[in-house]
Amino acid sequence: MPSLTIKTPDGKTRTVSLLKRITSLGRGADNDIVLEDAHVPDTAFAIMFDGVSYKVGGETKFQVNDKATDEHELKANDVVKVGDTVLTFSLAEAPLAQPALATRFSRGDSNNPDASTQEQPGIPGRELAALRRLTRFSEHLLTSYDLDKLLETLMDECIEVARADKGFLILMESNQLRVKVARNVQRETIEDAIERVSDSIVAKVVAQQKPLIIADALDDPEFNSSESVVNLKLLSVMCAPLMHKGELFGLIYLGNDRLVNRFDQKALDTLTIFASQASLLVQNALLVNELKLENVTLKTRLEEHTYGDIVGACQGMRDVYKRIDKIAPTDISVLVIGETGTGKELIARELHRHSPRAKGPFISINCGAIPENLLESELFGHVKGAFTGAVATKMGKFQAAISGTLFLDEIGEMPLQLQVKLLRALQEKVVYKVGDNRPEPVDIRVVAATNKNLDEETRKGTFREDLYFRINVVTLKLPPLRDRGDDIVVLARFFLNKYAREFNSKARGVTPASTVAMKKYNWPGNIRELENRIKKAVVLADKPLLGPEDLDLRPENLPPILPLALAKEEFQKRYINEVLERNGGNRTKTAKDLGVDPRTIFRHLEKLEADKSPGTMASETEYEGA
């Protein structure tokens, strides 16, 4: 596992493993690695692992090997300087284990921990050969991340270095030791591996977390009574723990059942060195394998969070998808309602895509964006000379949508006079071009959308009731973004990846603080607002992780924190209104459903309409008799 050795201005040095795909560094407390240096910004830069290499980049200029830069692919022993802090990148997590450590815990001279190194100035031939094999293994690791093959290669090298005739790689999984690789001297896989390992020897190495060498297990007073040793007729055994951050995560177990005293102190020292460095390489291989699985999982999750081009999997959206599946195959008219920016046109496109008309055109028109005097011509077309500027006959949206779907966005903005003509076109399935009296048949499906309350608009007389009933055979209500929970984060990641690729941006993710801020924000502009904020942040990004300030989600932009009593009151108001709406305004049923006195509902409505004249309110006495 690669690591950083960090030397701070006060002279302190520490080594930190790079465990994450994106590791942020800076003075701020929310960074993965906090640099205690007054000359380092809150977020200095980040180190990113793409599955092949590590890259460092950020909004702050820094030095790599005494050269100023803002992005660099890290190599072994690269020195990065930011402020007065010096960081050294290493492919290893710790220096080579000292043979003295192995000697201290072996069956050799336990009273003289330095005996081995005193006898062997420099690196002995066997240790040098082991290091060369370890180097080859490291090179193999950098070119291939097939975990099974890598672990087999590791064991083959261990067997050859120690001159054993079999070897086992045992890893800890869910607090259970499992034999992951079992190989013989012919580089073949050993069957029934678990039955060929001594439980008692393994148990001792796990308990003491120290390397162990046994010259003759059948003659060793500590193990000769062990059932596994006797049954397996074990002779020479050598076992070394694999450690990571002080925790045992596995073992290398080597054996030779033909010779006693096959393994000497030098062999144990060599295996200890090999095991120490192999631990880092195995951890790296395990991490890469985990990242691969995570990528597959993320892709699967993204597929689970999408419906066609729509991203989201909250319960409200799942209910919408179910309704689309049911109504898309039919030709009935659909009204999509939802706040501005909730993605109403995407829903209309999915209705079209899942319908028998999918091969036909999908035509969209925004009824609120076209001037009234031009809207009729846009919808139905016009003939040459029908009005000033009509220099040629033009086909309207209705004709363009024949055999397909016509999407009437913001239909609540359509003028009353034009609503009459639209109703006739929908009922008779014919249209008349402006300036022409010849009917043209049109075979289309109509999907309308609005952010207005059309029930209220019909009561006010600004929207025709007969047209409302014509377009509102089935309603699809889209939840606002603030009510979609984790969909906010999923959508943010989707837009970030999309625009990072499009604009070749450094942005790769968001900070934990950004995730919290996004969930707290009210999102009045819904998905459109989120997309625009992400796009802007990606374009202007100078660092890989976007913070709340990059998304303009500073504390002052978030909803104010209310006293608990006031928050309860606000929730109660909203909830009563929701139940009233579900019950069609029936106060008695609402009071019964909520388990409250009917007077509570009356007082609630009285507060809401306090600004209206008294004559518009029913008296409490009158209500009691309802």
Side-chain angles (χ1 to χ4, degrees):
M1 181 74 62
S3 62
L4 282 180
T5 298
I6 304 167
K7 186 176 182 180
T8 50
D10 57 7
K12 294 181 180 178
T13 301
R14 59 189 170 116
T15 300
V16 180
S17 296
L18 298 174
L19 302 174
K20 301 173 65 176
R21 288 180 299 167
I22 300 177
T23 303
S24 60
L25 298 93
R27 194 176 71 249
D30 60 343
N31 288 285
D32 297 313
I33 299 178
V34 179
L35 304 177
E36 297 177 357
D37 182 343
H39 296 100
V40 173
D42 283 345
T43 301
F45 51 76
I47 295 176
M48 295 154 286
F49 178 60
D50 60 8
V52 177
S53 61
Y54 284 82
K55 294 179 181 178
V56 58
E59 61 180 345
T60 304
K61 285 280 187 181
F62 50 88
Q63 291 184 343
V64 179
N65 302 329
D66 297 326
K67 292 183 179 180
T69 182
D70 61 0
E71 188 172 25
H72 177 78
E73 182 174 328
L74 291 168
K75 306 295 183 185
N77 301 319
D78 276 350
V79 177
V80 181
K81 184 176 181 182
V82 57
D84 295 323
T85 300
V86 178
L87 308 98
T88 304
F89 178 76
S90 174
L91 292 174
E93 195 173 46
L96 291 174
Q98 299 177 4
L101 179 64
T103 306
R104 183 181 300 125
F105 299 125
S106 70
R107 291 186 173 227
D109 185 1
S110 59
N111 296 319
N112 184 5
D114 297 322
S116 176
T117 54
Q118 290 171 355
E119 294 172 3
Q120 303 167 16
I123 302 178
R126 188 182 298 180
E127 283 82 345
L128 183 59
L131 291 176
R132 285 174 177 166
R133 291 183 181 278
L134 190 62
T135 301
R136 287 199 296 270
F137 179 71
S138 302
E139 291 171 351
H140 186 54
L141 178 64
L142 294 174
T143 58
S144 171
Y145 289 102
D146 185 331
L147 184 60
D148 294 335
K149 291 293 183 185
L150 286 171
L151 297 182
E152 288 179 358
T153 301
L154 170 65
M155 286 313 305
D156 290 339
E157 297 292 348
C158 285
I159 292 170
E160 191 162 342
V161 165
R163 290 180 283 184
D165 61 10
K166 61 182 177 182
F168 303 87
L169 179 65
I170 306 170
L171 296 181
M172 187 76 74
E173 293 182 349
S174 303
N175 294 321
Q176 294 288 327
L177 286 170
R178 302 184 188 279
V179 177
K180 300 298 292 184
V181 179
R183 305 283 281 179
N184 60 25
V185 72
Q186 287 82 31
R187 300 192 172 221
E188 300 169 335
T189 297
I190 300 174
E191 302 297 332
D192 302 323
I194 193 65
E195 299 175 4
R196 298 174 180 267
V197 176
S198 169
D199 296 337
S200 54
I201 295 174
V202 168
K204 181 170 182 178
V205 175
V206 170
Q208 296 186 350
Q209 297 187 4
K210 300 171 184 177
L212 178 66
I213 183 172
I214 302 171
D216 183 354
L218 285 174
D219 193 42
D220 190 301
E222 184 177 356
F223 298 106
N224 59 10
S225 60
S226 168
E227 183 178 348
S228 59
V229 170
V230 173
N231 291 341
L232 295 171
K233 299 180 180 179
L234 300 181
L235 297 179
S236 301
V237 177
M238 187 163 54
C239 189
L242 296 175
M243 308 295 293
H244 180 64
K245 292 187 174 181
E247 297 289 334
L248 183 142
F249 74 91
L251 303 163
I252 291 178
Y253 179 108
L254 301 174
N256 190 308
D257 297 338
R258 295 176 298 172
L259 300 171
V260 297
N261 295 312
R262 182 53 170 160
F263 306 125
D264 57 13
Q265 186 58 50
K266 292 181 182 179
L268 183 62
D269 293 344
T270 302
L271 180 63
T272 303
I273 295 172
F274 204 92
S276 176
Q277 295 305 296
S279 294
L280 306 177
L281 299 174
V282 170
Q283 280 292 327
N284 197 27
L286 291 171
L287 174 62
V288 172
N289 194 60
E290 183 181 334
L291 289 174
K292 282 184 175 181
L293 292 174
E294 184 179 337
N295 278 335
V296 172
T297 302
L298 287 174
K299 288 180 180 178
T300 303
R301 287 183 62 192
L302 184 58
E303 291 174 0
E304 292 173 351
H305 280 75
T306 57
Y307 181 90
D309 291 336
I310 305 171
V311 178
C314 70
Q315 189 55 51
M317 292 306 297
R318 289 182 182 275
D319 291 342
V320 171
Y321 303 155
K322 288 178 182 177
R323 301 202 82 182
I324 291 176
D325 288 337
K326 290 180 179 179
I327 63 180
T330 71
D331 237 6
I332 59 177
S333 298
V334 180
L335 178 63
V336 184
I337 60 176
E339 296 179 9
T340 298
T342 49
K344 296 186 285 294
E345 183 168 345
L346 278 178
I347 294 295
R349 288 185 181 276
E350 289 305 318
L351 278 167
H352 173 70
R353 186 176 297 169
H354 288 76
S355 75
R357 297 177 177 270
K359 293 183 180 179
F362 177 87
I363 304 299
S364 174
I365 182 171
N366 189 324
C367 302
I370 302 173
E372 181 178 348
N373 59 335
L374 296 178
L375 184 55
E376 181 179 359
S377 172
E378 285 293 318
L379 284 172
F380 308 125
H382 63 257
V383 296
K384 181 179 179 179
F387 49 84
T388 303
V391 296
T393 298
K394 178 185 175 183
M395 180 173 62
K397 300 295 185 183
F398 265 80
Q399 293 95 329
I402 289 176
S403 299
T405 302
L406 176 63
F407 176 54
L408 301 174
D409 198 9
E410 302 302 345
I411 194 170
E413 305 292 338
M414 182 175 286
L416 272 171
Q417 183 179 355
L418 197 53
Q419 291 178 27
V420 178
K421 296 181 180 180
L422 175 61
L423 177 61
R424 183 176 65 177
L426 296 178
Q427 287 178 335
E428 300 176 4
K429 296 187 178 181
V430 296
V431 296
Y432 296 83
K433 286 188 176 78
V434 176
D436 195 1
N437 58 5
R438 291 173 297 178
E440 295 182 48
V442 287
D443 174 27
I444 63 173
R445 180 188 192 167
V446 172
V447 177
T450 183
N451 62 356
K452 289 188 171 183
N453 184 336
L454 292 188
D455 281 316
E456 183 64 27
E457 296 299 315
T458 57
R459 284 194 290 270
K460 292 192 301 186
T462 56
F463 198 86
R464 292 183 61 93
E465 188 176 35
D466 47 5
L467 176 60
Y468 175 51
F469 290 130
R470 182 72 190 183
I471 63 174
N472 187 27
V473 179
V474 175
T475 302
L476 288 178
K477 185 175 182 179
L478 304 187
L481 184 59
R482 60 183 170 274
D483 293 340
R484 290 180 57 176
D486 288 339
D487 277 3
I488 296 174
V489 180
V490 175
L491 283 161
R493 288 176 180 167
F494 173 80
F495 290 133
L496 190 149
N497 292 335
K498 173 183 175 182
Y499 291 117
R501 288 193 301 269
E502 181 176 336
F503 300 119
N504 194 26
S505 170
K506 294 179 180 179
R508 293 293 182 270
V510 298
T511 65
S514 294
T515 300
V516 173
M518 284 191 292
K519 289 186 175 183
K520 286 183 178 179
Y521 185 58
N522 201 43
W523 297 109
N526 291 290
I527 300 171
R528 185 181 294 116
E529 180 184 0
L530 173 64
E531 180 177 9
N532 289 339
R533 284 178 184 255
I534 294 289
K535 184 190 293 187
K536 171 189 170 185
V538 166
V539 170
L540 299 178
D542 292 321
K543 53 188 178 182
L545 297 179
L546 303 179
E549 66 281 358
D550 298 308
L551 301 173
D552 292 328
L553 293 177
R554 298 177 179 85
E556 59 269 23
N557 295 332
L558 299 177
I561 298 176
L562 301 176
L564 186 58
L566 184 56
K568 288 181 178 179
E569 183 180 343
E570 290 298 320
F571 171 78
Q572 182 173 303
K573 287 179 182 178
R574 289 197 304 271
Y575 193 62
I576 292 175
N577 287 338
E578 289 177 10
V579 178
L580 274 168
E581 184 179 351
R582 288 175 59 179
N583 288 333
N586 188 317
R587 304 171 186 179
T588 303
K589 188 174 188 307
T590 298
K592 184 178 179 181
D593 288 344
L594 294 175
V596 298
D597 190 285
R599 293 182 181 84
T600 301
I601 306 301
F602 178 84
R603 286 191 291 270
H604 167 75
L605 295 173
E606 190 176 50
K607 288 180 181 178
L608 292 180
E609 302 188 24
D611 57 335
K612 295 184 179 181
S613 61
T616 62
M617 290 293 298
S619 68
E620 188 168 345
T621 304
E622 179 186 352
Y623 176 70
E624 289 174 15

